[in-house]
Structure formats: structure tokens, C-alpha cells
């Protein structure tokens, strides 16, 4: 089944900031195969809005080095 997410970003930040992001329901927070947090966003507008509201989280285009 096709999902409606258009944008993905790897997420880094303090545990409480990542928990707040997950609780905000602005994106779906998952883990990749390496256990890194990944946020899936419906569109660029939702990502940009989330960036403004969750300044303690880093939204990375590329997976962080392990």
C-alpha cells in the first residue's frame, strides 16, 4: 500500500525534543535499519512548519555517520 509521505529527514536531538516531535503528530517518526530516527513528512510545507516549531531537533538530509 502506498504511503502519502513525500519528504524524509533523519532526526537528531535530545530525547525530550524527539519525544515532543513525536507527540506533536506533525510527522511520523520511525527508525531506519541502523536504529537512527527518521521523520516522514506529508509535504515540504509540513517539514518547514515543523522546523520552525522544533528548534532543538536537527533535520538531516543525509543519514548521520555511525
Amino acid at each position: 500500500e502506498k504511503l502519502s509521505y513525500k519528504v524524509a529527514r533523519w532526526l537528531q536531538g535530545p530525547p525530550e525534543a524527539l519525544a515532543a516531535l513525536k507527540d506533536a503528530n506533525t510527522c511520523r517518526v520511525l527508525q531506519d535499519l541502523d536504529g537512527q530516527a527518521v521523520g516522514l513528512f506529508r509535504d515540504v510545507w509540513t517539514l518547514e512548519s515543523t522546523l520552525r516549531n522544533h528548534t532543538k531537533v536537527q533535520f538531516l538530509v543525509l543519514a548521520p555517520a555511525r
Side-chain angles (χ1 to χ4, degrees):
E1 187 173 320
K2 187 175 179 179
L3 299 175
S4 62
Y5 301 103
K6 305 281 189 237
V7 181
R9 292 292 184 270
W10 279 268
L11 309 170
Q12 287 190 322
E16 63 275 2
L18 294 175
L21 178 62
K22 189 180 265 189
D23 291 342
N25 287 329
T26 58
C27 70
R28 185 165 183 186
V29 178
L30 307 169
Q31 288 186 347
D32 68 7
L33 293 175
D34 295 323
Q36 299 289 331
V38 177
L40 300 178
F41 300 86
R42 296 203 182 276
D43 51 40
V44 174
W45 185 89
T46 304
L47 170 61
E48 290 174 354
S49 174
T50 305
L51 285 167
R52 286 190 299 273
N53 293 320
H54 295 274
T55 57
K56 293 182 180 180
V57 177
Q58 294 177 18
F59 297 83
L60 309 173
V61 175
L62 300 175
R66 297 191 293 159

